[in-house]
Amino acid sequence: MNAIPNQVLCRGASTAPVNFTTTVPGTVFSWANDNTLIGLAATGQGNIPSFIAQNPTGVPQVATITVTPTYGSGGIQVTQNFSYTGAVQTFVVPAGVTSINVKAWGAQGNRNAGSVAGGLGGYAEGTLAVTPGQTLYINAGGGGTTTISGGFNGGGAGGTNAGCAQAQGGGGGGATDVRVGANTLGARAIVAGGGGGAGGNRTAGCGRGSGGGGGAGYYGGGGGAGWPGVPPGGPVPTGGTQAAGGAGGVTTWTAGGPTNGLPGVLGVGGAGGNEVASGQGTPTGPGEPGGIGGGLTGGSGLYNPANNWNGQSGAGGSSYIGGVSAGVTNAGVNTGNGRVEFSFAAGGLACAGTPRTFTITVNPNQDLIIVADPGTTICNGDPTLLTVYNVGASSAPGNLHIQPGPGTNGSPSQVFEPANAAFSSQAADDFTVPGGATWTVTRLDVVGTNTGSGVPTSVNVFFYANSGSNLPGAAIASYTNLASFVRTGGNYAVTLPGAGINLSAGTYWVSFQVNMSFATSGQWFWSNYGATNIGNQYAWQNPGGGFATPCTNWGYGATGCAVGGGVNRNNIFTIFGSSVTPGTIATGTFLWSPAAGLSSTTSNPVAASPMNTTTYTVVRTTVPGGCVASAQVTVTVNQRPTVTTQPASSTNCVGNTVTFTVAGTGTGLAYQWQVSPTGCGGPWTNLTNTAPYSGVNTGTLTVTPVTQLLNGYAYRAVLTGACAPIGTANISNCVILTVNP
């Protein structure tokens, strides 16, 4: 046979196809791989197509592949079937047999308590290279019955409902596989994925439906959630793939009862989400059948919002043909239990040629994450240290923080129409990203109530850093006038634009507002609950003072502002996204861009002190290996308060109106006018909005009417914001009011 060149490449790159040739017709090429970490199966037959090179470690992985050519002739064609038994079965390869055609059918998912069918099982076929005397292990999956249990060989269990068995979902179907040399998941040469279990039915006077179990497979499908929440509900579970288990289904209901489905893992489907007994009305329709098994990716679970209160069905498991040659796989073809069929030529002559070896070396190229210390939000002129890490653990998308209620009151958080602008108000609550983790937040769910029709024109979402007084501080991200959201009554699910927001470890505040006319649509209240703080008590502000509370700036909603009944301490909300934990500090050579504000463009870590908000990109090249990876981080820069337009002194007559105007720049800018009756030398006192003064917290101070007593009074404005000022750049010039009789 031909000589095969070695390959050296980086993780994530595509290998070159490997084709075997010889001058002897009818030759079968069987190969064995001693390192499956590179993403290639342990054994196979025939040419090796291109695949994506893997390396989950931080060191080079070298795989030695040994190829043996075999010429066989003669023999009698034999077919042998293996039906479901609920246990592993074995087969010893007869003398003279070097290849077996394998056909495998995965099991159907199990029915729910109301006889809704599980998803159909998958099909896989291929030629398996074998040696005489070798032991094969056959696991025919179980399924297609009415049970909450997962089928034999990895089916995920359906979700429970301890008080209402009639509402329980079906278990996932078992995978069907053939294993070479050992009865372990790593020895699987071919897999036919199992179907997902049916979602549980809503049952009148008994309970909502629980989730169906995920089907087993090369990787199992995710389990369906119990009732996924107010329609459209949370995301349905996804099928297993060639690299990971499917994600579990998600419920958006946070007031107790349904739970999320569990994700699938290697060889095993995820369990369905649970439910609890509850009084229910007449169902509008049954739960959905399970997701189909098979294909290189299993089918997703199903949920029909029109038939509310049912559970999600489980997703299907994936099939696998990486250990056979001429492999094919079809999704959703089998009912009932799984089975296997072998066909081969027995009693012929087999002659083995001289083996050849070659290597595939996959250099590490780990994913990167940038961690900022003290954070990604800084004040103009301050530094933050940017350190590049290799990614450690990461989570699939799901709920990152839940404050579930149930709510017993609420606080207004709404931008009103101009006629009621003084009542525009804002609520916020805090959450904490654990130490060492970075969250990517993609969605915010909030629970609230309306007094009227509750139809907003748009909504706003804000994220703030935590201030020194444990209240909302500097703004990190502002998503205003969002017109894309899902509203169910007073509840909202808002997907953030783009890729969402990345938050490193620390405490943050999230705020949600509706933009809605009181005259046409009423008032919206963010529901709150609990007399014990979760983190800090929720915050609230009403800058226009229309509600006549002490909180024209941020204060604690219950104890400081006396809103929402003055008792409950926490808003009801859920933060959805994914989490990444840094691993080791990345090594190699580095190139940062842009260079503005960086202490270096070629080191790790670097100090960043940009003048304005900047997104930095780092490109890491491994040494040795020359593999390239990149990551990004956005450093948000808050500007310090600075006076840009000075007020001017004024001479006026008694009874007139006089105004003093100042302008400035800065993030979160606020104004405070001060007075000194004795002139510019002070002392200075903060003004309040009492006659003759108004606008004391705006850029324009109004004095009306002017009296002789005010002659010689001095005034100035002090600007504050999210950041501390530099020197006295935030204090305006002193101006004098001269009053003529």
Side-chain angles (χ1 to χ4, degrees):
M1 63 173 292
N2 60 306
I4 308 299
N6 298 328
Q7 298 186 44
V8 180
L9 64 164
C10 297
R11 168 187 171 266
S14 297
T15 64
V18 180
N19 298 314
F20 307 119
T21 60
T22 183
T23 58
V24 180
T27 298
V28 175
F29 299 96
S30 303
W31 50 265
N33 166 32
D34 69 352
N35 187 352
T36 58
L37 291 179
I38 69 166
L40 181 65
T43 60
Q45 193 174 80
N47 297 330
I48 301 176
S50 174
F51 63 93
I52 303 300
Q54 303 296 321
N55 182 346
T57 74
V59 297
Q61 293 295 319
V62 181
T64 300
I65 295 98
T66 301
V67 186
T68 302
T70 304
Y71 173 76
S73 64
I76 300 171
Q77 195 69 22
V78 175
T79 299
Q80 186 163 344
N81 293 297
F82 301 86
S83 300
Y84 165 76
T85 65
V88 63
Q89 303 169 65
T90 59
F91 174 82
V92 178
V93 178
V97 176
T98 58
S99 66
I100 297 176
N101 180 262
V102 179
K103 297 179 180 179
W105 291 263
Q108 182 180 14
N110 288 317
R111 297 184 289 270
N112 69 10
S115 297
V116 174
L120 298 179
Y123 172 79
E125 179 182 356
T127 301
L128 176 65
V130 295
T131 58
Q134 197 172 39
T135 299
L136 306 182
Y137 296 83
I138 300 95
N139 291 278
T145 63
T146 301
T147 178
I148 192 175
S149 300
F152 170 73
N153 203 24
T160 63
N161 189 325
C164 184
Q166 305 96 305
Q168 294 179 153
T176 295
D177 61 57
V178 177
R179 310 178 185 191
V180 179
N183 188 30
T184 62
L185 292 176
R188 294 179 297 174
I190 187 170
V191 182
N201 292 345
R202 180 194 193 193
T203 304
C206 187
R208 298 179 297 235
S210 66
Y218 183 55
Y219 279 93
W227 178 57
V230 177
V236 296
T238 59
T241 70
Q242 298 301 290
V250 176
T251 176
T252 60
W253 185 252
T254 57
T259 63
N260 294 337
L262 296 183
V265 296
L266 184 69
V268 181
N274 299 328
E275 257 293 358
V276 296
S278 60
Q280 294 292 314
T282 302
T284 54
E288 295 297 305
I292 59 175
L296 297 180
T297 299
S300 295
L302 303 173
Y303 180 71
N304 182 359
N307 295 337
N308 196 8
W309 315 107
N310 295 321
Q312 295 173 340
S313 67
S318 59
S319 292
Y320 173 71
I321 51 176
V324 297
S325 61
V328 295
T329 179
N330 296 315
V333 298
N334 186 51
T335 60
N337 294 316
R339 65 188 192 279
V340 172
E341 178 186 289
F342 285 175
S343 59
F344 53 91
L349 175 67
C351 300
T354 302
R356 283 191 180 274
T357 63
F358 64 98
T359 61
I360 298 178
T361 301
V362 182
N363 288 317
N365 191 24
Q366 293 168 279
D367 294 330
L368 304 177
I369 185 173
I370 302 172
V371 175
D373 184 16
T376 56
T377 300
I378 61 174
C379 292
N380 183 292
D382 289 344
T384 188
L385 190 67
L386 304 180
T387 304
V388 185
Y389 289 87
N390 296 311
V391 168
S394 60
S395 72
N399 294 332
L400 298 172
H401 179 88
I402 302 176
Q403 292 187 188
T408 58
N409 214 311
S411 54
S413 192
Q414 180 173 348
V415 178
F416 291 92
E417 70 274 29
N420 289 303
F423 295 93
S424 292
S425 54
Q426 186 178 8
D429 208 340
D430 68 317
F431 62 94
T432 298
V433 179
T438 295
W439 284 2
T440 299
V441 178
T442 57
R443 195 180 80 221
L444 172 67
D445 297 346
V446 298
V447 174
T449 57
N450 299 308
T451 63
S453 64
V455 180
T457 56
S458 59
V459 300
N460 306 323
V461 176
F462 305 93
F463 289 88
Y464 300 97
N466 189 42
S467 72
S469 56
N470 289 322
L471 285 165
I476 296 173
S478 300
Y479 304 99
T480 57
N481 302 313
L482 299 176
S484 179
F485 52 84
V486 176
R487 181 181 70 87
T488 305
N491 303 335
Y492 290 82
V494 184
T495 298
L496 302 184
I501 180 174
N502 293 324
L503 300 173
S504 56
T507 297
Y508 301 89
W509 293 78
V510 63
S511 174
F512 176 82
Q513 287 178 303
V514 299
N515 299 312
M516 188 168 73
S517 167
F518 176 78
T520 59
S521 299
Q523 193 170 355
W524 183 80
F525 295 85
W526 192 347
S527 296
N528 49 43
Y529 74 103
T532 301
N533 294 349
I534 297 177
N536 296 300
Q537 184 183 153
Y538 80 89
W540 188 81
Q541 65 173 352
N542 172 215
F547 287 106
T549 73
C551 295
T552 53
N553 293 308
W554 288 115
Y556 290 127
T559 59
C561 309
V563 294
V567 175
N568 294 329
R569 305 295 186 89
N570 312 290
N571 287 332
I572 302 178
F573 68 99
T574 299
I575 289 176
F576 184 93
S578 57
S579 176
V580 172
T581 302
T584 58
I585 293 180
T587 58
T589 63
F590 299 87
L591 182 61
W592 293 82
S593 63
L598 295 179
S599 61
S600 168
T601 58
T602 57
S603 63
N604 181 33
V606 299
S609 185
M611 299 298 292
N612 298 292
T613 297
T614 303
T615 297
Y616 290 106
T617 300
V618 64
V619 177
R620 188 275 311 274
T621 304
T622 60
V623 178
C627 300
V628 176
S630 64
Q632 288 187 328
V633 64
T634 297
V635 178
T636 301
V637 179
N638 290 326
Q639 301 300 320
R640 300 180 185 275
T642 303
V643 175
T644 57
T645 301
Q646 299 288 351
S649 296
S650 179
T651 300
N652 273 266
C653 296
V654 171
N656 286 353
T657 296
V658 63
T659 58
F660 299 104
T661 299
V662 68
T665 58
T667 303
L669 199 61
Y671 298 86
Q672 177 63 61
W673 284 92
Q674 296 180 330
V675 63
S676 172
T678 57
C680 291
W684 295 94
T685 303
N686 288 343
L687 288 170
T688 60
N689 286 315
T690 55
Y693 301 112
S694 61
V696 300
N697 300 119
T698 70
T700 298
L701 172 66
T702 300
V703 185
T704 184
V706 171
T707 65
Q708 190 64 47
L709 179 64
L710 301 179
N711 183 48
Y713 274 35
Y715 300 92
R716 71 179 187 182
V718 178
L719 278 59
T720 57
C723 298
I726 297 177
T728 59
N730 66 313
I731 302 176
S732 75
N733 293 341
C734 169
V735 294
I736 300 295
L737 174 60
T738 301
V739 182
N740 292 328

